[in-house]
Amino acid sequence: MLQSMHTPTNSSTLHLFSNPEKASLYVAQQIADLIRQQQTQGKPAVLGLATGNTPKRVYEELINLHKNEGLSFANVISFNLDEYYPIHPEDTQSYTYFMNRYLFGSIDIKLENIHIPHTNCAANGINEYCKAYEEKIARFGGLDLQLLGIGRNGHIGFNEPGSSFQDTTRLVNLHSLTREDAQTDFGGLENVPHQAISIGIDTIVQARKILLLALGEKKSEIISKALQGEITTRVPASILQNLPHVEYVLDHEAAALIEEAVVA
Ligand code: GLP
């Protein structure tokens, strides 16, 4: 690690790495340590998981640890952050497909312990479904660790600008920038759903540990706003600034516009 410090203006912690590989390995190690620590106490590890390009290397490393170092996921209960609506779980753009491809298909997690908002439920059943998702997280005692990426507009999960900090799991409308960023995956903007189910900001901040991973120059502008700008619902990730159980894990490019980090 290059540098670890309290973020210049607040109480969360910033871990800076010279490249995306090192940052990803650090995150994977944190997750593996938690799983093992819970195992030694005979407890489940309740993980909040994210999708997108950012966590792919983290998941690859977790698979390596499973295959080469015997890391077992038998005690892991997972809850994914979000899913497009509507989408079929077997569609290659769905987050169910993503998670199976990049992680679940290659580890020993029990199928019954995997939770991903499945959005092929009828429109009039969504509120009930979201409430049940939220209750399930609570029934497992809440999230031990939440892994987050960040959207270019500051979204976490699919909590878009304007989301209330009190929101829990619900149906959301996707922001135009979010849909634009997804258009390559969907083969054109017209194919990108307009809505999604997302756990809320309130659900996220209650996790006992939060790791926000951001990599690359594309994220530098929003990272500087989220870490050092005003705390505002216009930048949903800004809520994390004052939380001592939050760690931002950044490579040098993503951290390029953070004032003190650039000087260091
Ligand atoms: C999607 C996901 C977010 C993720 C974001 C960033 O919007 N719902 O959870 O953080 O994409 O994706 P990427 O890591 O590909 O930049």
Side-chain angles (χ1 to χ4, degrees):
M1 195 193 308
L2 269 189
Q3 198 179 6
S4 172
M5 61 189 178
H6 282 295
T7 38
T9 51
N10 44 51
S11 51
S12 48
T13 308
L14 175 59
H15 293 299
L16 263 190
F17 292 86
S18 54
N19 61 48
E21 172 75 6
K22 288 183 183 162
S24 301
L25 295 188
Y26 170 80
V27 170
Q29 201 55 56
Q30 295 294 303
I31 296 173
D33 288 350
L34 173 79
I35 295 172
R36 289 198 175 106
Q37 184 193 315
Q38 296 295 90
Q39 273 163 5
T40 58
Q41 296 175 32
K43 291 184 185 163
V46 186
L47 303 181
L49 297 177
T51 50
N53 285 319
T54 309
K56 282 183 183 167
R57 181 67 187 98
V58 174
Y59 295 152
E60 192 186 329
E61 181 58 14
L62 288 174
I63 294 170
N64 287 341
L65 292 173
H66 171 65
K67 293 197 168 146
N68 305 324
E69 292 184 22
L71 174 67
S72 171
F73 291 77
N75 68 327
V76 170
I77 316 281
S78 74
F79 285 92
N80 263 75
L81 278 170
D82 49 19
E83 176 60 290
Y84 292 103
Y85 178 84
I87 203 162
H88 194 279
E90 278 166 23
D91 284 355
T92 54
Q93 298 87 5
S94 80
Y95 288 162
T96 300
Y97 184 91
F98 177 102
M99 290 307 298
N100 287 336
R101 173 168 177 191
Y102 291 104
L103 184 63
F104 296 150
S106 307
I107 58 174
D108 63 340
I109 189 167
K110 295 176 185 152
L111 282 186
E112 68 268 26
N113 288 345
I114 295 173
H115 305 92
I116 302 177
H118 72 77
T119 60
N120 51 357
C121 53
N124 62 7
I126 288 194
N127 288 347
E128 293 280 296
Y129 179 81
C130 291
K131 208 168 147 236
Y133 198 76
E134 205 51 55
E135 282 167 3
K136 229 179 257 174
I137 296 175
R139 218 175 309 134
F140 283 107
L143 301 166
D144 290 310
L145 184 151
Q146 176 66 60
L147 174 61
L148 293 175
I150 185 169
R152 283 194 302 141
N153 59 9
H155 74 217
I156 44 179
F158 271 136
N159 294 288
E160 298 284 30
S163 301
S164 150
F165 292 154
Q166 277 77 47
D167 276 334
T168 55
T169 305
R170 72 217 180 284
L171 187 65
V172 299
N173 294 321
L174 296 178
H175 195 267
S176 54
L177 188 61
T178 303
R179 293 189 63 249
E180 266 171 44
D181 282 348
Q183 65 181 321
T184 317
D185 288 343
F186 281 86
L189 189 59
E190 66 282 8
N191 301 325
V192 182
H194 288 264
Q195 291 186 299
I197 289 180
S198 179
I199 73 169
I201 295 179
D202 189 54
T203 326
I204 291 172
V205 299
Q206 289 191 39
R208 284 180 277 284
K209 181 170 185 167
I210 298 173
L211 297 179
L212 187 149
L213 177 64
L215 306 172
E217 188 267 330
K218 245 172 58 176
K219 298 290 168 72
S220 60
E221 203 175 316
I222 193 61
I223 278 294
S224 79
K225 278 193 196 152
L227 271 73
Q228 295 184 315
E230 185 194 347
I231 298 179
T232 164
T233 56
R234 288 193 300 281
V235 181
S238 64
I239 183 69
L240 305 176
Q241 275 182 27
N242 282 331
L243 305 179
H245 60 301
V246 170
E247 290 184 24
Y248 299 96
V249 183
L250 310 177
D251 68 351
H252 242 350
E253 289 190 354
L257 300 178
I258 296 177
E259 283 168 26
E260 289 183 28
V262 174
V263 177

